[in-house]
Amino acid sequence: MGIVEEAHNVKVVGTGDQFVVLAHGFGTDQSVWKHLVPHLFDDYRVILYDNMGAGTTNPEYFDFERYSTVEGFAYDLLAILQELQVDSCIFVGHSLSAMVGAVASIARPDLFSKLVLVSASPRFLNDETYYGGFHQEDLNQLFEAIQSNYKAWCSGFAPLVVGGDLDSVAVQEFSRTLFNMRPDIALSLARTVFQFDMRPVLGLITVPCHIIQSTRDLAVPVVVSEYLQQNLGGKSIVEVTPTEGHLPQLSAPDIVNPVLLKHIHNDIAE
């Protein structure tokens, strides 16, 4: 195993000819895909990895400057694909990783046959002509809460984002992966994620995009998925699922897995 694979806890499972990459968002790790992986096992070779900064990665490897932009994560993804000698894949990216895959596909469109984007947003912050879901004041309070008492912030943030009650397995699971992160790294990544603006590059994304969006998602309003579709440079399709929350693959796998599998299997109709 190479250095890149080891650093990102890369796993390759399954028996198919085609590669599917599953990439997670802020506050989680590759375990967020545990309900989906068994359904892909027979038809695909599935690549799982952890973004740098996840609680499962070595915090000594975390470069605060590199990961202050989405590009830092995109370079990691391209390095993983290079090390595994992947020349084409279907990329499934959740939240932050939806934009990571999108940026990587601008640099190397030949490596991606399609992007399946789950709970994706190019911009979380509102401005005069765009509704992302958050005011700057909301984000400042969020950053302050992470700084002042990380554990308390995790236990309050998890149920809001997952959209479930405190006792739900999905909330407990997200709380666990969130709390596993080192607080200073979590703060740095929260700033990266909630302050980025990927709108200027959307037109450069020419790989077909399948956008999967929850009906109710605290972090990503449905209008954001419509904005994405209108501004992407290639073919795209949006499917809004009858789910609540930002991590539907964890909180509602029975509803979301069939949708994900459909979009992984099928291309966008002409």
Side-chain angles (χ1 to χ4, degrees):
M1 181 181 275
I3 294 169
V4 173
E5 289 175 71
E6 194 177 342
H8 293 277
N9 304 315
V10 173
K11 293 185 185 70
V12 184
V13 297
T15 54
D17 296 327
Q18 200 170 13
F19 284 102
V20 171
V21 178
L22 302 179
H24 67 85
F26 169 74
T28 59
D29 57 41
Q30 62 186 259
S31 67
V32 79
W33 300 110
K34 62 187 176 183
H35 301 299
L36 178 65
V37 172
H39 300 284
L40 296 169
F41 212 85
D42 292 337
D43 299 314
Y44 300 96
R45 291 188 71 196
V46 182
I47 299 170
L48 293 148
Y49 73 97
D50 295 328
N51 280 320
M52 204 50 67
T56 45
T57 61
N58 183 342
E60 298 304 312
Y61 292 159
F62 189 82
D63 180 329
F64 285 89
E65 188 175 344
R66 180 186 177 95
Y67 299 113
S68 65
T69 67
V70 173
E71 283 78 6
F73 294 97
Y75 294 139
D76 288 351
L77 168 60
L78 293 173
I80 290 166
L81 295 178
Q82 183 176 357
E83 201 159 288
L84 294 174
Q85 298 183 317
V86 173
D87 54 15
S88 178
C89 71
I90 295 166
F91 179 85
V92 183
H94 172 245
S95 192
L96 162 65
S97 279
M99 289 299 112
V100 171
V103 168
S105 80
I106 296 170
R108 290 291 307 275
D110 55 303
L111 290 179
F112 302 91
S113 59
K114 72 172 80 166
L115 305 175
V116 181
L117 310 178
V118 185
S119 309
S121 175
R123 176 71 161 164
F124 290 94
L125 190 60
N126 304 330
D127 63 27
E128 288 176 13
T129 58
Y130 172 82
Y131 181 68
F134 293 90
H135 297 291
Q136 188 62 55
E137 195 180 309
D138 304 328
L139 297 180
N140 292 343
Q141 287 173 356
L142 182 138
F143 302 144
E144 281 168 29
I146 293 175
Q147 259 177 315
S148 60
N149 188 333
Y150 185 61
K151 189 171 185 179
W153 175 78
C154 289
S155 38
F157 186 69
L160 284 174
V161 171
V162 176
D165 57 56
L166 284 166
D167 300 327
S168 84
V169 176
V171 169
Q172 289 174 1
E173 181 67 8
F174 184 48
S175 300
R176 178 187 71 78
T177 55
L178 200 57
F179 190 60
N180 277 347
M181 296 176 74
R182 209 172 76 183
D184 58 333
I185 290 174
L187 176 62
S188 176
L189 285 179
R191 290 186 190 280
T192 299
V193 171
F194 286 110
Q195 301 281 182
F196 69 47
D197 188 355
M198 309 307 295
R199 292 174 298 174
V201 302
L202 294 179
L204 304 175
I205 300 160
T206 55
V207 171
C209 290
H210 300 241
I211 302 158
I212 317 294
Q213 164 81 37
S214 285
T215 306
R216 289 183 62 194
D217 179 345
L218 171 89
V220 185
V222 172
V223 290
V224 170
S225 60
E226 294 163 1
Y227 178 91
L228 266 178
Q229 186 177 31
Q230 287 160 6
N231 289 277
L232 287 164
K235 290 191 296 186
S236 62
I237 185 170
V238 173
E239 181 154 358
V240 179
T241 57
T243 51
E244 188 173 334
H246 191 59
L247 293 96
Q249 72 274 47
L250 203 56
S251 59
D254 294 350
I255 296 172
V256 169
N257 280 348
V259 175
L260 285 170
L261 292 167
K262 177 179 75 178
H263 287 282
I264 290 168
H265 293 325
N266 302 324
D267 294 334
I268 299 170
E270 292 297 336

